[in-house]
Structures are given as structure tokens and as C-alpha cells.
Amino acid sequence: MAHHNEDNEGSIGTSMHGVTAREQVFSFSAHEGEDVPSSRAVRFDEPTAKFALPVDSEHRATVFRPFSFAKPHMRAFHLGWISFFTCFISTFAAAPLVPIIRDNLDLTKSDIGNAGVASVSGAIFSRLAMGAVCDLLGARYGTAFLLMLSAPTVFSMSFVSDAGGYLSVRFMIGFCLATFVSCQYWTSVMFNGKIIGLVNGCAGGWGDMGGGVTQLLMPMVFHVIKLAGATPFTAWRIAFFVPGFLQIIMGILVLTLGQDLPDGNLSTLQKRGDVSKDKFSKVFWYALRNYRTYVLFLLYGFSMGIEMTINNVISEYFFDRFQLELHTAGMIAASFGMANFFARPFGGYASDISARFFGMRGRLWTLWILQTLGGLFCVWLGRATSLPIAILAMMLFSVGVQAACGAIYGIVPFVSRRSLGIISGLTGAGGNFGSGLTQLIFFSSSRFHTADGLSLMGIMGMIFTLLVAFIHFPQWGSMFFGPTSDELKSKEEHYYAREWTEEEKQQGLHEGSLKFAENSRSERGRKAALDGSSHSTQPENENSGNV
Amino acid sequence: MAIHKIILASFQICLLIQFSHGATKERLFSDLEKGALDVTAKPSRQGVLDAGIDKLSITWKLSSTAKTQASFKTIKVKLCYAPVSQVDRPWRKTENELFKDKTCPHKIITKAYNKSSQSFKYTLERDIPTGTYFVRAYAVDAKDHEVAYGQSTKEAKTTNLFSVQAISGRHKSLDIASICFSVFAVLALLVFFVNEKRKAKIEQSK
């Protein structure tokens, strides 16, 4: 009897399972009597009464109480999102201070633009690697490693004396954005699949807020340090100690208060039994083979990517174009990032609601609408010549792109079951790629005024968003086409099972995918609710003929 | 429908604000009287000047060719970027509209207008960036509008310029603090890590 690893916890590189996904833990309840996958490392008969929140059979929380700090679930949630938030603060800390830094280091527009590109490029790779790191060390050490090892890079801003140094330091700081992965990984092991969408949407959105808070925080800190007597060219360097301290504090909190899994830490729990690890090469291969991976990579590049680009350029833009004080420009820029607090969860929620009525097709349309509106308002922002209109356009723009981010991660979980972790990671990396690309094209040279750069970026975003129309699921359809009429291909089981070879299927390794397929029938929309009853009584057989 | 009306109304208000702004802000640099003041700026020493240390001796007086001196109330003397320091730096761009022009962001001194020769010894501030500069004096009227100017260089802004080297902003104490905290961060992580691995081994051997 093959031991299969439903939730990829033990499989290196396949992790990040359920990143904002609808992780179906339902599949576990049917296996309570059997050997449990050892990576869970928990006995099925352990008392669950010791947890502050109600938990399922895997000891994952089944409710989300954001005001609670109870261990281990809510504590992990808060440690995770605050760590991610702190890293966002560090990565974009330079942006609101650029008007001072550019004078101190004698930077040109190209220098500033290139440093902005560098600040988001590092995370392309660190986000990909982070899944494997969390598998090996646990989410706690994954997070702590990022926080503590990137803190020196934040402090090293005090050594920077020219454009090259500035670029290198921003590049190195940017690696810590991989806390996105460790944060989502941590919540995925702590929360049940039915609520993981909301939990991850909140963790992602609240973490992204850091990009907004930093625009407010850094100018304020800079101002206070100047009042204390420091000259501007020294004050900004001292200001960087604040994000550095925050990282150290969070790192210590994560190490002392955090817990890898609901039942304990990875190193103190024994790995019992045999662990069937899915092969990284296979998981990676199936991710690469699925064309939707690339589409999502690009789409996230023009939602999250644009958001990160704006974090880097918007403060300087308002400072220069409207002749504002540094902290006023910072305040306006901050409101962009702060909208994440509700905008990203809203996007995920909108995706879920549209799926209830129209299934996956509803999700795709929701994504297209949100992201296109975001691009449209970005064009308007570039055109705006008066401050009130610019602020209005910016706020509408922020809600559009941030909700689009949430909506994308409402679709990601359904693209693949086997390669979910990798695809989530690749999508996340796409965000950084898009940010680097847009900064390189529009904001690194004197070819465009920043205002024109914004408008052109919005247009480019709207064009790339048309790619949503190409995401087609045989079982659910796409924006313009319904599901295929082919009896075999129109079943969810067929789509998810084709990621496994015949030998693997014979070993029963694909059981998890089949269970997921059954639960994903809700993506058919209202019809599923009507047809659902007839399906649930059928044997789990890919070849069942009735559609 | 009520929402439509509100949106339309606010849009119109915004447009109104925009237009009203435009009416007052069209004062152009080209409208100012050129060379109304004779300005000289002499650096305290040869070579590249150090911000925070070196000085400039600035003098200005009414030029013999000046015409609009009746409206002069105050003289604003400013430090301005030469064209070579504006390359690839759009935040220092020269624009004809006075409110947009970023050529002269650094204030030196503001003094009441006096038709006899005035002077001022200016120590370069510590937040002056590295670059090449000249000095310009604006003659401002009672409404705080510029009416004329004079500068220490010719119109092409290529002669009589001086270079400034900014302070680095770095301090040894800052460097040391930075190293200390970095080391602390890495050590803290290692200590925790090693400690936990040891505890896990002890539990395993039990």
C-alpha cells in the first residue's frame, strides 16, 4: 500500500502547498483509520481539546480569529504576516527617501531606475527557492533566516557612497521578499483548506501593506532624526536602522514564539514512518508543461509587478511633479500601499463570489475586469495634472491592481494539484519579474517623463491582461468558451489525473488529486450545485461516463 | 442617478481648481528682465569646493542697464545647477514656467533691495549635492513675484562655474553600529539554531 502525501508537506520543493489555495483537507477525514502520512507527525488519536481554536483531524484551525494570538495557529498567522510586512518595509524603505539619497550619492535617473529594478529582482530567485527551504527547515526557520540574514544588508546602507553601492545594497535587501512564500507556507500548514483562501488573502494583503507604510514611516523617521540634529545626508542612513531593528525584533519573536506545525516544531517532532516525497523534477516538469503557468506568471507581473513598481516610483513622482514636502509625498504614496488592507482580500472574495454563480468562468472575468480597471486608472494617474485628480486616480488604481492580485490567487490553486507549490511560487516570482521589467522600460531612462511612463505602463498592463482570455480549463471553460463537450475531458478528474503517469496511478499516488478534483466541482458554478448530488454517489472512477 | 450627479459635480470642481491654478502660474522666466543685477560669486579657494567647509563671496548690485528697478522689493540669491549637472536628472530641469523651474533650488540669502552694492559670504551648506553651480539673484516685487534677475555666469551658463563636492554623510560611529547589529543578528540566529538542534538530539537519545 503506497503512502501518499496528500498535502506535499514532506516533499521538498513541492511545498508552498495551498498558497491562498482552497486546500482540500476533506480528503483526510476518509483516512483516519489508516497510517497517516508521516510528515504530519501526529497521532490521529491525540486530543484536540488543547487548542484554543477548533481544529480538524490534522490539527489545523477551522476558524480564523484575527484578533486572537493563541498558539499555535493565530500566533503563526500574525508572526508570518508581520514578518512579510517588515520585509516589505525594508525592501521599499529607500523609495520615499530617494530625493535625499539622489543628492547624497549624485545619482542619475538611470541609477535610480536600475536600483529599483535590482530591489525586486533578487526575490525572483529567492521566492522559488523558499519552498524547498521551508520543507527542509520548517516555516519558522525559513522566516527567521530571511529576516536575520537580510538585516545586515539593511544596516549596510550606512556604508553606501555611490550608485554601484546603492544598487548592490538594494539588490541584497530585496531577497527578503521571499517571506511571502514562508508566510503562506506557514498559514497553509496551520489552517484548514476551507478558510485558507481568506487567511492567505489577509496575510498576503496585510503584508503587502508594508510597501505603503514604509512611504510614511521612513520620511517621518528621517524628519525626526534631522530635528535631533543630524545633517540630511547622514540622517537618511540612520533612518535605515529602523527597518533593520524591526527585522531583528521580528526574527527573535519568530524564533521564540513561533511553532512550525500545529503539534510542535519540526526538529523536535519525530518523522515517523516512511515519507513518500514527490520527485521535484516531476513536479517542476508538470508545472512547466502547463501553459497556464506562464500566463499566470505574466498576469501577476502586471498586477503585483505594477504594484511593486509604484511602491518604488510614486513617492518621488509626487514629490517632483507637485512640489510637495517629502513627508506629504510619502503620505500620499503610503495610501497606495495601505489600500492592500482591504483591496487584496476583496479581490479574493470577489473571485469566490463570482465562482459561486459562474464557476471558474466567473473568476476569470472578475480577474480581467479588476486588472483592466487597474490599468485604466494607471493611465489616468499619468495624465492627471492636478493633485486631487492624481490622488483619486491613484486610489482607484490601487484597488484595481491589488484586488487583481487577490483574484489571481483565487485561480492559481485550480491550475494544478500536483505542482501547486511550484506554480504558486512561479506566479509570485512573476510579480517580481513584472516589476523589474516595467521599471526597466519606463522608469530607468530619461526617455519618458515619469508621468508618461505611468500611462504607458497602464496601457501595457491592459494589453497583457487580455491574456486572461487564454486560460482555458476543459472542464470549466474560459472567458469566451464553455467547457469542452468531450465526455472524458470535461471531467475534473481527467484534468487533474493527467499529471500522473500510468505507473504512478497504479500505485495510487494520484488519489489526492482525485479527491481534489471532486471537491473542485464547485468551479462549475450554479450548475454544480444542481448536478452535485448525482456525482457524489458515483464511484471515484475516471471513466464514469455520465457527465 | 444621484451618484452620477455627484461624480459629475466633483469632476467639474476639480477642473475648476485646475484652471484657476493655471491662471496664476503662467509667469515665465523669459518674461523676466535679464541682467538687471550684476552678480559675482568668488570661491574661497581654487579647485573643487567642499560642502560644509568652503565659502563663496557673493556680491550683487543694480546693473546700469536695468529698467524695472522701481518695483524691486527684495533680492533672493540662490545657488543654481549648471547644465552639466542637469543631464539625466529631470528633477533639476530648467523650465520656462517659473513655478515648474527647478534650476535654482538652494536658497543662499534673501535681503531687502538696495541699489548700492551688496555682498554676502556664504558657507556651502552640508546638504548641497556634488555638482557644478553658478549663482543667480532674483529681484522680487511686493507681491512676491519675480520681475528681474542677474547671474554670475553668461546666458549659456558655461562660463564662471564652480564645482562642489558633497559630504559623504558617512560616519565611523555609524559604520561600527551597523557592523555590531549585523553581527548580532547573524549570531542570534546561529545560537538559536544550534541550541535547538542540540535539544532535539538530546530528546532523540532519550
Side-chain angles (χ1 to χ4, degrees), chain A residues 297-320:
Chain A
F297 180 89
L298 288 171
L299 286 173
Y300 203 56
F302 284 91
S303 52
M304 188 63 192
I306 289 188
E307 188 188 326
M308 286 200 275
T309 295
I310 294 288
N311 279 337
N312 259 338
V313 309
I314 198 72
S315 186
E316 196 188 349
Y317 174 70
F318 273 100
F319 180 85
D320 288 333

PDB file of all heavy atoms in Angstrom, chain A residues 297-320:
ATOM      1  N   PHE A 297       2.087  33.738 -14.635  1.00  0.00           N
ATOM      2  CA  PHE A 297       3.368  34.422 -14.383  1.00  0.00           C
ATOM      3  C   PHE A 297       3.298  35.843 -14.922  1.00  0.00           C
ATOM      4  O   PHE A 297       3.619  36.804 -14.221  1.00  0.00           O
ATOM      5  CB  PHE A 297       4.472  33.618 -15.069  1.00  0.00           C
ATOM      6  CG  PHE A 297       5.858  34.177 -14.913  1.00  0.00           C
ATOM      7  CD1 PHE A 297       6.646  33.801 -13.834  1.00  0.00           C
ATOM      8  CD2 PHE A 297       6.394  35.042 -15.854  1.00  0.00           C
ATOM      9  CE1 PHE A 297       7.939  34.288 -13.700  1.00  0.00           C
ATOM     10  CE2 PHE A 297       7.690  35.534 -15.718  1.00  0.00           C
ATOM     11  CZ  PHE A 297       8.459  35.154 -14.640  1.00  0.00           C
ATOM     12  N   LEU A 298       2.835  35.986 -16.174  1.00  0.00           N
ATOM     13  CA  LEU A 298       2.763  37.310 -16.789  1.00  0.00           C
ATOM     14  C   LEU A 298       1.658  38.156 -16.166  1.00  0.00           C
ATOM     15  O   LEU A 298       1.840  39.348 -15.936  1.00  0.00           O
ATOM     16  CB  LEU A 298       2.532  37.177 -18.299  1.00  0.00           C
ATOM     17  CG  LEU A 298       3.735  36.662 -19.088  1.00  0.00           C
ATOM     18  CD1 LEU A 298       3.342  36.361 -20.523  1.00  0.00           C
ATOM     19  CD2 LEU A 298       4.870  37.664 -19.053  1.00  0.00           C
ATOM     20  N   LEU A 299       0.519  37.534 -15.890  1.00  0.00           N
ATOM     21  CA  LEU A 299      -0.593  38.301 -15.324  1.00  0.00           C
ATOM     22  C   LEU A 299      -0.218  38.883 -13.974  1.00  0.00           C
ATOM     23  O   LEU A 299      -0.498  40.051 -13.692  1.00  0.00           O
ATOM     24  CB  LEU A 299      -1.836  37.408 -15.181  1.00  0.00           C
ATOM     25  CG  LEU A 299      -2.568  37.075 -16.474  1.00  0.00           C
ATOM     26  CD1 LEU A 299      -3.664  36.060 -16.203  1.00  0.00           C
ATOM     27  CD2 LEU A 299      -3.152  38.322 -17.105  1.00  0.00           C
ATOM     28  N   TYR A 300       0.401  38.067 -13.117  1.00  0.00           N
ATOM     29  CA  TYR A 300       0.793  38.567 -11.805  1.00  0.00           C
ATOM     30  C   TYR A 300       1.875  39.632 -11.945  1.00  0.00           C
ATOM     31  O   TYR A 300       1.966  40.548 -11.132  1.00  0.00           O
ATOM     32  CB  TYR A 300       1.288  37.406 -10.932  1.00  0.00           C
ATOM     33  CG  TYR A 300       1.204  37.663  -9.445  1.00  0.00           C
ATOM     34  CD1 TYR A 300      -0.003  38.014  -8.847  1.00  0.00           C
ATOM     35  CD2 TYR A 300       2.321  37.549  -8.631  1.00  0.00           C
ATOM     36  CE1 TYR A 300      -0.084  38.244  -7.488  1.00  0.00           C
ATOM     37  CE2 TYR A 300       2.241  37.768  -7.271  1.00  0.00           C
ATOM     38  CZ  TYR A 300       1.040  38.114  -6.703  1.00  0.00           C
ATOM     39  OH  TYR A 300       0.952  38.343  -5.352  1.00  0.00           O
ATOM     40  N   GLY A 301       2.669  39.496 -13.023  1.00  0.00           N
ATOM     41  CA  GLY A 301       3.681  40.512 -13.276  1.00  0.00           C
ATOM     42  C   GLY A 301       3.066  41.876 -13.522  1.00  0.00           C
ATOM     43  O   GLY A 301       3.679  42.894 -13.223  1.00  0.00           O
ATOM     44  N   PHE A 302       1.832  41.896 -14.046  1.00  0.00           N
ATOM     45  CA  PHE A 302       1.196  43.176 -14.313  1.00  0.00           C
ATOM     46  C   PHE A 302       0.119  43.543 -13.307  1.00  0.00           C
ATOM     47  O   PHE A 302      -0.628  44.480 -13.506  1.00  0.00           O
ATOM     48  CB  PHE A 302       0.672  43.222 -15.753  1.00  0.00           C
ATOM     49  CG  PHE A 302       1.799  43.420 -16.721  1.00  0.00           C
ATOM     50  CD1 PHE A 302       2.451  42.334 -17.271  1.00  0.00           C
ATOM     51  CD2 PHE A 302       2.241  44.690 -17.009  1.00  0.00           C
ATOM     52  CE1 PHE A 302       3.532  42.519 -18.118  1.00  0.00           C
ATOM     53  CE2 PHE A 302       3.308  44.891 -17.865  1.00  0.00           C
ATOM     54  CZ  PHE A 302       3.964  43.802 -18.418  1.00  0.00           C
ATOM     55  N   SER A 303       0.043  42.800 -12.245  1.00  0.00           N
ATOM     56  CA  SER A 303      -0.759  43.286 -11.123  1.00  0.00           C
ATOM     57  C   SER A 303       0.184  43.548  -9.958  1.00  0.00           C
ATOM     58  O   SER A 303       0.426  44.703  -9.590  1.00  0.00           O
ATOM     59  CB  SER A 303      -1.874  42.307 -10.755  1.00  0.00           C
ATOM     60  OG  SER A 303      -1.375  41.007 -10.558  1.00  0.00           O
ATOM     61  N   MET A 304       0.765  42.484  -9.386  1.00  0.00           N
ATOM     62  CA  MET A 304       1.712  42.676  -8.288  1.00  0.00           C
ATOM     63  C   MET A 304       2.945  43.423  -8.763  1.00  0.00           C
ATOM     64  O   MET A 304       3.507  44.254  -8.040  1.00  0.00           O
ATOM     65  CB  MET A 304       2.129  41.305  -7.739  1.00  0.00           C
ATOM     66  CG  MET A 304       2.943  41.419  -6.489  1.00  0.00           C
ATOM     67  SD  MET A 304       1.935  42.160  -5.230  1.00  0.00           S
ATOM     68  CE  MET A 304       3.087  42.526  -3.993  1.00  0.00           C
ATOM     69  N   GLY A 305       3.367  43.121 -10.001  1.00  0.00           N
ATOM     70  CA  GLY A 305       4.550  43.773 -10.541  1.00  0.00           C
ATOM     71  C   GLY A 305       4.367  45.279 -10.608  1.00  0.00           C
ATOM     72  O   GLY A 305       5.231  46.040 -10.174  1.00  0.00           O
ATOM     73  N   ILE A 306       3.233  45.691 -11.138  1.00  0.00           N
ATOM     74  CA  ILE A 306       2.940  47.122 -11.222  1.00  0.00           C
ATOM     75  C   ILE A 306       2.846  47.716  -9.824  1.00  0.00           C
ATOM     76  O   ILE A 306       3.338  48.819  -9.566  1.00  0.00           O
ATOM     77  CB  ILE A 306       1.641  47.363 -12.016  1.00  0.00           C
ATOM     78  CG1 ILE A 306       1.878  47.058 -13.486  1.00  0.00           C
ATOM     79  CG2 ILE A 306       1.142  48.773 -11.830  1.00  0.00           C
ATOM     80  CD1 ILE A 306       0.743  47.447 -14.394  1.00  0.00           C
ATOM     81  N   GLU A 307       2.245  46.974  -8.898  1.00  0.00           N
ATOM     82  CA  GLU A 307       2.129  47.469  -7.528  1.00  0.00           C
ATOM     83  C   GLU A 307       3.502  47.738  -6.927  1.00  0.00           C
ATOM     84  O   GLU A 307       3.743  48.779  -6.316  1.00  0.00           O
ATOM     85  CB  GLU A 307       1.377  46.444  -6.691  1.00  0.00           C
ATOM     86  CG  GLU A 307       1.041  46.944  -5.301  1.00  0.00           C
ATOM     87  CD  GLU A 307       0.460  45.847  -4.427  1.00  0.00           C
ATOM     88  OE1 GLU A 307      -0.251  44.975  -4.976  1.00  0.00           O
ATOM     89  OE2 GLU A 307       0.716  45.865  -3.216  1.00  0.00           O
ATOM     90  N   MET A 308       4.438  46.808  -7.111  1.00  0.00           N
ATOM     91  CA  MET A 308       5.781  46.993  -6.547  1.00  0.00           C
ATOM     92  C   MET A 308       6.524  48.121  -7.250  1.00  0.00           C
ATOM     93  O   MET A 308       7.271  48.876  -6.621  1.00  0.00           O
ATOM     94  CB  MET A 308       6.583  45.691  -6.643  1.00  0.00           C
ATOM     95  CG  MET A 308       6.110  44.675  -5.625  1.00  0.00           C
ATOM     96  SD  MET A 308       7.333  43.406  -5.300  1.00  0.00           S
ATOM     97  CE  MET A 308       6.974  42.293  -6.624  1.00  0.00           C
ATOM     98  N   THR A 309       6.320  48.262  -8.548  1.00  0.00           N
ATOM     99  CA  THR A 309       6.948  49.369  -9.279  1.00  0.00           C
ATOM    100  C   THR A 309       6.453  50.692  -8.728  1.00  0.00           C
ATOM    101  O   THR A 309       7.239  51.614  -8.493  1.00  0.00           O
ATOM    102  CB  THR A 309       6.615  49.275 -10.774  1.00  0.00           C
ATOM    103  OG1 THR A 309       7.202  48.100 -11.301  1.00  0.00           O
ATOM    104  CG2 THR A 309       7.113  50.483 -11.535  1.00  0.00           C
ATOM    105  N   ILE A 310       5.159  50.778  -8.511  1.00  0.00           N
ATOM    106  CA  ILE A 310       4.598  52.011  -7.962  1.00  0.00           C
ATOM    107  C   ILE A 310       5.182  52.299  -6.587  1.00  0.00           C
ATOM    108  O   ILE A 310       5.507  53.440  -6.255  1.00  0.00           O
ATOM    109  CB  ILE A 310       3.063  51.936  -7.911  1.00  0.00           C
ATOM    110  CG1 ILE A 310       2.490  51.880  -9.329  1.00  0.00           C
ATOM    111  CG2 ILE A 310       2.484  53.118  -7.160  1.00  0.00           C
ATOM    112  CD1 ILE A 310       2.579  53.170 -10.092  1.00  0.00           C
ATOM    113  N   ASN A 311       5.348  51.264  -5.756  1.00  0.00           N
ATOM    114  CA  ASN A 311       5.971  51.459  -4.442  1.00  0.00           C
ATOM    115  C   ASN A 311       7.317  52.142  -4.574  1.00  0.00           C
ATOM    116  O   ASN A 311       7.718  52.924  -3.724  1.00  0.00           O
ATOM    117  CB  ASN A 311       6.169  50.113  -3.729  1.00  0.00           C
ATOM    118  CG  ASN A 311       4.905  49.624  -3.052  1.00  0.00           C
ATOM    119  OD1 ASN A 311       4.022  50.402  -2.742  1.00  0.00           O
ATOM    120  ND2 ASN A 311       4.815  48.334  -2.832  1.00  0.00           N
ATOM    121  N   ASN A 312       8.026  51.835  -5.663  1.00  0.00           N
ATOM    122  CA  ASN A 312       9.361  52.394  -5.856  1.00  0.00           C
ATOM    123  C   ASN A 312       9.352  53.797  -6.441  1.00  0.00           C
ATOM    124  O   ASN A 312      10.268  54.571  -6.204  1.00  0.00           O
ATOM    125  CB  ASN A 312      10.181  51.466  -6.772  1.00  0.00           C
ATOM    126  CG  ASN A 312      11.139  50.587  -5.993  1.00  0.00           C
ATOM    127  OD1 ASN A 312      11.514  50.897  -4.871  1.00  0.00           O
ATOM    128  ND2 ASN A 312      11.541  49.486  -6.592  1.00  0.00           N
ATOM    129  N   VAL A 313       8.350  54.123  -7.267  1.00  0.00           N
ATOM    130  CA  VAL A 313       8.429  55.387  -8.005  1.00  0.00           C
ATOM    131  C   VAL A 313       7.443  56.457  -7.568  1.00  0.00           C
ATOM    132  O   VAL A 313       7.620  57.628  -7.880  1.00  0.00           O
ATOM    133  CB  VAL A 313       8.290  55.172  -9.537  1.00  0.00           C
ATOM    134  CG1 VAL A 313       9.242  54.121 -10.031  1.00  0.00           C
ATOM    135  CG2 VAL A 313       6.880  54.874  -9.935  1.00  0.00           C
ATOM    136  N   ILE A 314       6.385  56.066  -6.855  1.00  0.00           N
ATOM    137  CA  ILE A 314       5.291  57.025  -6.695  1.00  0.00           C
ATOM    138  C   ILE A 314       5.631  58.179  -5.766  1.00  0.00           C
ATOM    139  O   ILE A 314       5.203  59.312  -5.983  1.00  0.00           O
ATOM    140  CB  ILE A 314       3.997  56.288  -6.227  1.00  0.00           C
ATOM    141  CG1 ILE A 314       2.770  57.157  -6.471  1.00  0.00           C
ATOM    142  CG2 ILE A 314       4.086  55.879  -4.778  1.00  0.00           C
ATOM    143  CD1 ILE A 314       2.412  57.281  -7.929  1.00  0.00           C
ATOM    144  N   SER A 315       6.421  57.926  -4.723  1.00  0.00           N
ATOM    145  CA  SER A 315       6.728  58.998  -3.787  1.00  0.00           C
ATOM    146  C   SER A 315       7.545  60.083  -4.479  1.00  0.00           C
ATOM    147  O   SER A 315       7.252  61.276  -4.377  1.00  0.00           O
ATOM    148  CB  SER A 315       7.486  58.423  -2.590  1.00  0.00           C
ATOM    149  OG  SER A 315       7.668  59.405  -1.622  1.00  0.00           O
ATOM    150  N   GLU A 316       8.588  59.650  -5.203  1.00  0.00           N
ATOM    151  CA  GLU A 316       9.431  60.603  -5.926  1.00  0.00           C
ATOM    152  C   GLU A 316       8.603  61.349  -6.959  1.00  0.00           C
ATOM    153  O   GLU A 316       8.798  62.549  -7.194  1.00  0.00           O
ATOM    154  CB  GLU A 316      10.563  59.824  -6.608  1.00  0.00           C
ATOM    155  CG  GLU A 316      11.725  60.693  -7.058  1.00  0.00           C
ATOM    156  CD  GLU A 316      12.719  59.906  -7.902  1.00  0.00           C
ATOM    157  OE1 GLU A 316      12.609  58.672  -7.960  1.00  0.00           O
ATOM    158  OE2 GLU A 316      13.595  60.550  -8.504  1.00  0.00           O
ATOM    159  N   TYR A 317       7.631  60.624  -7.590  1.00  0.00           N
ATOM    160  CA  TYR A 317       6.790  61.237  -8.601  1.00  0.00           C
ATOM    161  C   TYR A 317       5.980  62.380  -8.020  1.00  0.00           C
ATOM    162  O   TYR A 317       5.949  63.484  -8.575  1.00  0.00           O
ATOM    163  CB  TYR A 317       5.864  60.172  -9.191  1.00  0.00           C
ATOM    164  CG  TYR A 317       4.836  60.705 -10.171  1.00  0.00           C
ATOM    165  CD1 TYR A 317       5.229  61.176 -11.415  1.00  0.00           C
ATOM    166  CD2 TYR A 317       3.490  60.726  -9.859  1.00  0.00           C
ATOM    167  CE1 TYR A 317       4.306  61.668 -12.320  1.00  0.00           C
ATOM    168  CE2 TYR A 317       2.559  61.211 -10.762  1.00  0.00           C
ATOM    169  CZ  TYR A 317       2.964  61.681 -11.991  1.00  0.00           C
ATOM    170  OH  TYR A 317       2.042  62.166 -12.873  1.00  0.00           O
ATOM    171  N   PHE A 318       5.319  62.132  -6.898  1.00  0.00           N
ATOM    172  CA  PHE A 318       4.509  63.186  -6.281  1.00  0.00           C
ATOM    173  C   PHE A 318       5.388  64.323  -5.773  1.00  0.00           C
ATOM    174  O   PHE A 318       5.032  65.498  -5.855  1.00  0.00           O
ATOM    175  CB  PHE A 318       3.657  62.609  -5.137  1.00  0.00           C
ATOM    176  CG  PHE A 318       2.339  62.053  -5.605  1.00  0.00           C
ATOM    177  CD1 PHE A 318       2.182  60.690  -5.790  1.00  0.00           C
ATOM    178  CD2 PHE A 318       1.270  62.880  -5.864  1.00  0.00           C
ATOM    179  CE1 PHE A 318       0.962  60.163  -6.233  1.00  0.00           C
ATOM    180  CE2 PHE A 318       0.056  62.374  -6.312  1.00  0.00           C
ATOM    181  CZ  PHE A 318      -0.097  61.014  -6.498  1.00  0.00           C
ATOM    182  N   PHE A 319       6.568  63.980  -5.239  1.00  0.00           N
ATOM    183  CA  PHE A 319       7.490  64.997  -4.729  1.00  0.00           C
ATOM    184  C   PHE A 319       7.904  65.957  -5.840  1.00  0.00           C
ATOM    185  O   PHE A 319       7.888  67.171  -5.679  1.00  0.00           O
ATOM    186  CB  PHE A 319       8.718  64.296  -4.135  1.00  0.00           C
ATOM    187  CG  PHE A 319       9.748  65.227  -3.569  1.00  0.00           C
ATOM    188  CD1 PHE A 319       9.643  65.707  -2.271  1.00  0.00           C
ATOM    189  CD2 PHE A 319      10.849  65.616  -4.328  1.00  0.00           C
ATOM    190  CE1 PHE A 319      10.607  66.550  -1.748  1.00  0.00           C
ATOM    191  CE2 PHE A 319      11.802  66.459  -3.812  1.00  0.00           C
ATOM    192  CZ  PHE A 319      11.682  66.934  -2.519  1.00  0.00           C
ATOM    193  N   ASP A 320       8.280  65.379  -6.995  1.00  0.00           N
ATOM    194  CA  ASP A 320       8.782  66.200  -8.080  1.00  0.00           C
ATOM    195  C   ASP A 320       7.676  66.913  -8.834  1.00  0.00           C
ATOM    196  O   ASP A 320       7.768  68.088  -9.140  1.00  0.00           O
ATOM    197  CB  ASP A 320       9.588  65.326  -9.068  1.00  0.00           C
ATOM    198  CG  ASP A 320      10.921  64.906  -8.495  1.00  0.00           C
ATOM    199  OD1 ASP A 320      11.454  65.642  -7.643  1.00  0.00           O
ATOM    200  OD2 ASP A 320      11.432  63.840  -8.888  1.00  0.00           O
TER     201      ASP A 320
END
